[in-house]
Every structure is written in structure tokens, then in C-alpha cells.
Amino acid sequence: MDKKLLMRGSQVIGEAAIRAGCRFYAGYHITPQNELPEFMSGAMANLKDGTFIQAESELAAINMVLGASMAGARAMTSSSSPGISLKQEGISFLAASELPAVIVNTMRGGPGLGNIAPSQGDYFQATRGGGHGDYRTIVLAPAYGQELADLTRKAFEYADRYRTPVMILADGMMGQMMEPVIFPDPVNLSELPSKLWILNGAKERPSRIIKSLILSPVAMEEHNWKLARKYEAISGEIACAETYMTEDARLVIVAYGTAARIAKGAIKRAREMGLKVGLLRPVTLWPFPGRAIREMSRLIKDFLVFEMNTGQMVEDVRLSLEGRSNTHFYGRPGGVVSTPDEIGRVISSLYYRRRLEED
Amino acid sequence: MEKVVFKRPRYMKEAPFHYCPGCGHSIIHRLMAEVIEELGIGEKTIGVPPAGCAVLAYDYFDIDMGEAPHGRGAAVATGIKRTLPDKIVFSYQGDGDIAAIGTAETIHAANRGENITVIFVNNSCYGMTGGQMAPTTLLDQNSTTTPGGRDKDRDGTPIDLSEMLALTQGAVYIERTAVNSIKNIRKTKKAITKAFKIQMAGLGFSLVEILSPCPTNWKMSPIDACRWIDEDVAQTFPLKVIKDETD
């Protein structure tokens, strides 16, 4: 363990990636995450086996990552919302070809060019696969500087373990904010399990093919079911949520990332007013921690979903609850960042309207 | 005493080609397999097949192969080569793949001087999807999307991608050949050999553009298709060494 460092979020991801054994980064700059490719250019230059490529486009970057992953590297690319749209072709190919890779999306306001303010408008794109075809992407949603480091490490581990692309879904706030972080020790690449599927020359073994074209519908169906079984296993193994002050809560806020931090501030204020409010913060957005919410619905009859969008994760909350409890929604799209006071007012108004103060 | 005069190259699988009769891909595949065997690089060569007729190249080459999305061959090859610089990496791409949807990836790989080899098979149309106009389609050439022939004002003119690539400092060797005659096939093999040797020497980006017959989509007999390459295609895309920095 190292000492505590004060670092900007984007750079935390970069340092954590290097320590996770990332040796290949290709990217195309876009605000608000330019500090990440800039950091990677310097960090890779300091490694004898590191590669940094400033790609000519997002498409090129994700496909360089695809190639590096085929060749066995722990590889990463990063971007922000409009650039992530461009990467979806490659993400679909990574998923189809069962290749590990880490993709960082530092979300900004959208749709279209939008703006460079923090937003959560890409939840659907991230959690529903994003690109074409029947696949899923593991999506991790850090909320704190320390978690940027920890989840970046996990992202590479999950990508290799499940041979699938993993997305880190942050936002402009997290990318820019400086927070204290303690980094985990660097991974020793030679101690990682060897990848027996990579393309490194067919020497003393049969030649290998990595591909996504499967012309036979029967074989394609079987491949889809194989992926589906993998996604089912992932769902059972890594779904994760943080709970905060939920033990005695009458109302639980469901929020992730920056929105969850704002909600925490609001919950503290609400608690000072005597309102029994807690937080459930999904750490994995896909797989969605639906079971945690479902189990909570035995005691909690009202959930307030707060997102920095017009209502996306709220659909997963409703699907998880299957009508067992009431789902309310409050959102601010377009890069507007709510204050804890604002969310506090939403909480108290809902709390009294639903008469949650009554026994 | 039997003497073997012709056999399957070591790095071709025992699989019949799916290519149409008279198609140039089969010849080019064989030439490449021969070169890979002769250079002794079969155990360290990684190929990147394209989207297009040659996507199934991985069913024929008995070496490691990793499929690229349409047009992204040079980017995927870049990722492989930078990760494993001691291996030999080639991408195999058609004219629509490399000169339309993948132009950017190709130009920038050349400009970075990526130490990869690109085999660019130019049949002046999109073969797999049924013969639509490609950027390389000749003026007045019929295609399924240029009924009545390619019109300069409506469709633009055939793009000289190889000449464009030659302008980049990172491109070391670019030659245009054809596989429509014995003589041209031999020249093509020499060019492929040279391109791989340049990569083995670590000199930079090498590309061989190969004019290849597509009798099916040109709606010609294989013999007429070979003739048409000489009479028309090679008039627009002349067979020559476009750039050679190794001299």
C-alpha cells in the first residue's frame, strides 16, 4: 500500500490502470476527460512495455484496443459521451469476439454534442449494450476518488475473467475533482493467469482464429446463448451496491455516481430534520443490483430514484421492484448539477406527501 | 520416382475456397501462403482479415487470424503489432474496405509508419454485397448503384489511394500489381515478398495493391475479366512501384 495522494479523477483512473497492468492505451481526446489520455501518454512513455497511441478517431482507438486485446495486452480506451457513441462498433465486436478491454466514459451533457458539464445521460447506452446485437457490457459506476482507483483495478480483472468489455461510467465532475486516494500495489503481469486464446503466432500449437462472423444461424444462436450464459453468471457474481442509513429508513434514494454523493448530502440534511431517509447506491449498473432493491422492498415502500437525466435507471428500479413498492423519480438532465439542498427539498416534500412520518 | 511439382503451401488449410470461379482472392491467398512459408515466418505471423469477400480468409490461412470490423484493419493490426512488435502482422483488405470506410485508419497507420504490411485487393467494386460502386470503380463502369455507369459529376472519380498513401512519410514501400496473367502473378509474389521483408527489417509501412478480377460482379467471363484489367483497370490504376524508400 502506498501513501495517500491528492489526484484529479481522470488521472486516478490512469494511474490505477497502469497499476492494474494496462500496457496499451489508445484514445482520442474529448472534454471533460483530456487529462486521462494526457496522463497515459506520459505514463506509458515511462514503461518499457507500454504503448500509448493518440488515435485519429474514436473508431480507430477502440479498434486498436481490439487488436491489442487479441494480442493479449490489458488494453484501455477512454472518451466522453459523443466519442463513446463512435466506439460502440468496436465494443460490440469486443463482446462478440469475447475480448477483454476497459472503456472509460466520462459522461457529459447530451444528446448530440451537448455540453461538457457532468451528466448521466448515457445510462441506457452503457447498460443496454450500446452497440448492435444481443450483448451486455459490465458497467461500473464509481462515486469517489478512491473508488475510481478500486473499480479501475476491478474493471481489468472482470474484463480478463469474463473475456468481455468493461465500462467505467464516470462523469465530468468525477473526472475533474481532486480527492485523496490510496492506490493498490501494482499487479505483477507475469503472475496473471496466462491467456490461452490470444494471437501471438501459431508456434508449436494449432493456429487460432478470433472472429465475430458466424454465418450459420444455428451456430450464431449457440454463440448468443453462450454469451447469455456468461452474462447470467456475471449477474450472479458481481452485482454490487452500497447502502447508507437504510436500517431504519422509510424512504430510500436510489442514485449512482455523482448523483449518489449529492443524495448523501441531502440525506444528512434530511436526517437532521428527523426524516428517516437512506441511500442505495448501485456500484455495478450492469449487472444491476436488483436483488438488493427487491429485498429492501419488504420494509421500504417508497423509493426515490435521483439521476442526472430524465429517467433511465428508474426503469431498472421499477423492473427490480415489480410493483412491490412505489417508485418516484427526480432528475436534472443536460449537465445541471443539483445541490444537496435541492434534493433535500425533494425528499422532504415526498416524505410528507407520502405521510412517511406517520407510524 | 515421383517428383512433387505442385503442392498445398504449408500455411494453407485443407479447405476448398468459397471464392467465385475466376476470382483473384484464391491466387493472392496462395501467393501469400507461399511467401510466408518461404520467409519462414508462419509461426509468428498474425493476419487481419476484413469484412468483405475475404472475411473467410481465416478459414484458409493456417496462421493466427483476428477479424477486424469493416475498414478497421490497419487499426486492429496496429494494436496487435504494437503489443507484439516481434511478430509479423498483415491486414488483408478490399478496395471498399480500405479506400472508403477505412480510409482514415489506413492513412494514419501509414503516416505513423506502423511496421505492418497491408495487402490491398482492388477489384473496383464491393464484391460481397453484390457489386455496388466502390471508390475505385472506374468511370463509366456499371455497378448495381451506378446503373448506366459511374458518372464523374454525380459519383466522383476513382480514388488513387495508394498514391495518396505514398505521400505519407511513414510509407516505405507501395507497389501496385495484378493477378490477371502469369507474369503479373509472379510480380505480385515478388512484391508481397518485398513488403514482408520490409516489415521483418522493421523499416515501416508497406502495402501491395493488387488489381484482382471479379468476373461475377463485372458480369464477364474469367478470361474477359483478366483482359479487362489490362485494357481498362490498369489504365486508371497503372501497375508500378509507387514508392520505394529501400532503394
Side-chain angles (χ1 to χ4, degrees):
Chain A
M1 278 289 180
D2 277 282
K3 64 180 191 307
K4 199 176 271 192
L5 297 169
L6 186 66
M7 273 177 95
R8 195 180 295 277
S10 284
Q11 292 163 347
V12 171
I13 295 175
E15 176 64 25
I18 298 288
R19 285 172 183 248
C22 176
R23 290 296 177 271
F24 187 97
Y25 174 95
Y28 186 89
H29 51 281
I30 178 171
T31 310
Q33 60 91 56
N34 297 316
E35 293 80 1
L36 181 48
E38 286 166 1
F39 177 90
M40 294 308 273
S41 67
M44 288 300 188
N46 290 331
L47 293 168
K48 69 176 196 317
D49 56 347
T51 299
F52 168 87
I53 302 179
Q54 182 169 338
E56 60 273 21
S57 70
E58 304 290 5
L59 279 168
I62 190 76
N63 283 293
M64 288 171 186
V65 164
L66 181 95
S69 178
M70 284 177 181
R74 282 195 158 180
M76 180 170 92
T77 185
S78 68
S79 190
S80 179
S81 308
I84 295 294
S85 294
L86 290 170
K87 288 189 198 294
Q88 293 300 340
E89 172 194 77
I91 297 172
S92 171
F93 273 73
L94 286 162
S97 310
E98 297 198 82
L99 289 167
V102 173
I103 301 112
V104 182
N105 181 2
T106 303
M107 287 184 284
R108 54 187 250 176
L113 208 48
N115 58 33
I116 59 171
S119 172
Q120 296 183 327
D122 303 350
Y123 180 92
F124 281 153
Q125 184 196 51
T127 58
R128 266 56 180 171
H132 62 281
D134 207 347
Y135 78 96
R136 297 289 190 162
T137 307
I138 294 173
V139 184
L140 308 178
Y144 317 104
Q146 184 61 49
E147 213 175 38
L148 285 171
D150 298 342
L151 289 183
T152 299
R153 170 66 63 96
K154 275 214 167 112
F156 282 96
E157 288 170 3
Y158 290 158
D160 275 358
R161 186 192 304 166
Y162 298 112
R163 285 181 60 185
T164 200
V166 177
M167 182 173 283
I168 297 170
L169 197 67
D171 63 52
M173 180 85 84
M174 245 174 284
Q176 295 298 320
M177 197 154 46
M178 293 184 81
E179 291 190 273
V181 179
I182 297 172
F183 286 100
D185 289 334
V187 162
N188 184 345
L189 281 172
S190 62
E191 287 172 4
L192 291 176
S194 48
K195 298 174 176 179
L196 299 175
W197 48 267
I198 64 168
L199 306 182
N200 57 355
K203 190 176 183 186
E204 289 156 9
R205 62 160 173 80
S207 57
R208 293 174 182 155
I209 299 170
I210 294 179
K211 67 184 178 93
S212 63
L213 180 80
I214 303 173
L215 287 170
S216 149
V218 174
M220 188 74 233
E221 182 188 30
E222 182 39 49
H223 186 61
N224 271 286
W225 285 124
K226 181 189 171 202
L227 294 179
R229 288 191 293 273
K230 175 164 80 174
Y231 300 144
E232 201 181 327
I234 293 171
S235 300
E237 286 164 18
I238 70 163
C240 174
E242 179 205 357
T243 52
Y244 172 73
M245 293 189 155
T246 52
E247 295 77 16
D248 63 339
R250 311 292 304 267
L251 173 68
V252 165
I253 317 295
V254 186
Y256 68 94
T258 293
R261 293 184 70 159
I262 297 167
K264 264 194 183 175
I267 288 165
K268 279 182 195 151
R269 284 164 173 73
R271 285 274 170 181
E272 283 165 17
M273 291 164 59
L275 308 186
K276 292 175 176 171
V277 187
L279 173 76
L280 186 139
R281 177 176 71 89
V283 176
T284 56
L285 298 182
W286 194 89
F288 190 71
R291 185 182 294 175
I293 293 177
R294 207 156 36 244
E295 282 170 5
M296 206 173 261
S297 71
R298 274 184 257 153
L299 297 169
I300 311 290
K301 290 299 147 202
D302 288 275
F303 289 85
L304 169 64
V305 181
F306 166 48
E307 298 179 75
M308 291 156 71
N309 59 42
T310 56
Q312 300 192 15
M313 183 179 69
V314 64
E315 294 192 1
D316 283 333
V317 174
R318 286 201 184 104
L319 281 169
S320 304
L321 287 170
E322 292 177 318
R324 289 183 180 90
S325 303
N326 300 306
T327 309
H328 312 275
F329 175 73
Y330 184 77
R332 295 294 299 271
V336 171
V337 181
S338 299
T339 61
D341 279 342
E342 176 187 344
I343 302 306
R345 285 193 294 276
V346 174
I347 289 170
S348 55
S349 132
L350 178 67
Y351 202 87
Y352 292 116
R353 198 169 69 234
R354 298 287 308 152
R355 301 181 185 282
L356 297 177
E357 76 281 14
E358 295 171 5
D359 281 329
Chain B
M1 182 79 175
E2 283 180 28
K3 187 181 169 215
V4 177
V5 292
F6 192 80
K7 66 178 175 65
R8 184 183 298 278
R10 161 68 188 83
Y11 296 104
M12 292 257 85
K13 290 174 182 165
E14 287 200 28
F17 288 128
H18 74 284
Y19 299 114
C20 302
C23 170
H25 277 309
S26 325
I27 300 168
I28 298 164
H29 281 16
R30 183 184 168 91
L31 293 180
M32 291 181 64
E34 287 177 0
V35 169
I36 288 167
E37 185 174 1
E38 286 162 17
L39 294 176
I41 53 173
E43 293 182 344
K44 63 171 188 175
T45 299
I46 300 158
V48 179
C53 293
V55 63
L56 295 173
Y58 46 62
D59 285 342
Y60 309 128
F61 286 106
D62 193 8
I63 57 170
D64 279 3
M65 298 284 279
E67 165 206 272
H70 196 25
R72 319 290 172 229
V76 173
T78 294
I80 297 172
K81 183 71 181 187
R82 293 283 193 110
T83 302
L84 300 169
D86 296 337
K87 307 298 175 187
I88 302 300
V89 181
F90 72 85
S91 78
Y92 186 105
Q93 300 176 258
D95 45 318
D97 188 83
I98 200 171
I101 194 166
T103 319
E105 285 80 358
T106 310
I107 287 179
H108 289 278
N111 194 50
R112 287 190 305 268
E114 293 295 342
N115 192 29
I116 58 173
T117 300
V118 176
I119 305 299
F120 162 19
V121 180
N122 180 354
N123 66 357
S124 77
C125 69
Y126 284 92
M128 189 187 229
T129 46
Q132 294 80 8
M133 180 187 74
T136 46
T137 296
L138 307 187
L139 284 176
D140 299 324
Q141 183 182 339
N142 273 310
S143 76
T144 59
T145 49
T146 53
R150 181 175 186 163
D151 177 73
K152 174 171 163 290
D153 294 333
R154 185 187 57 200
D155 310 313
T157 50
I159 197 165
D160 301 324
L161 183 74
S162 292
E163 280 81 356
M164 287 167 61
L165 292 172
L167 295 174
T168 64
Q169 300 247 339
V172 174
Y173 169 64
I174 297 179
E175 180 166 356
R176 185 184 292 116
T177 65
V179 286
N180 64 332
S181 67
I182 305 289
K183 189 175 123 219
N184 282 339
I185 288 171
R186 288 197 173 125
K187 276 191 178 171
T188 299
K189 185 172 173 183
K190 271 179 74 178
I192 294 170
T193 304
K194 180 161 182 169
F196 275 112
K197 279 185 170 171
I198 283 167
Q199 185 182 165
M200 290 163 75
L203 299 179
F205 186 85
S206 56
L207 178 144
V208 183
E209 176 182 347
I210 305 168
L211 304 185
S212 177
C214 184
T216 300
N217 287 305
W218 294 353
K219 302 193 180 355
M220 292 178 192
S221 73
I223 291 171
D224 286 345
C226 287
R227 199 175 291 136
W228 193 63
I229 287 181
D230 280 333
E231 289 169 1
D232 279 287
V233 187
Q235 302 307 310
T236 298
F237 298 108
L239 305 183
K240 61 177 180 182
V241 177
I242 295 164
K243 185 176 190 183
D244 187 354
E245 297 279 290
T246 64
D247 283 346

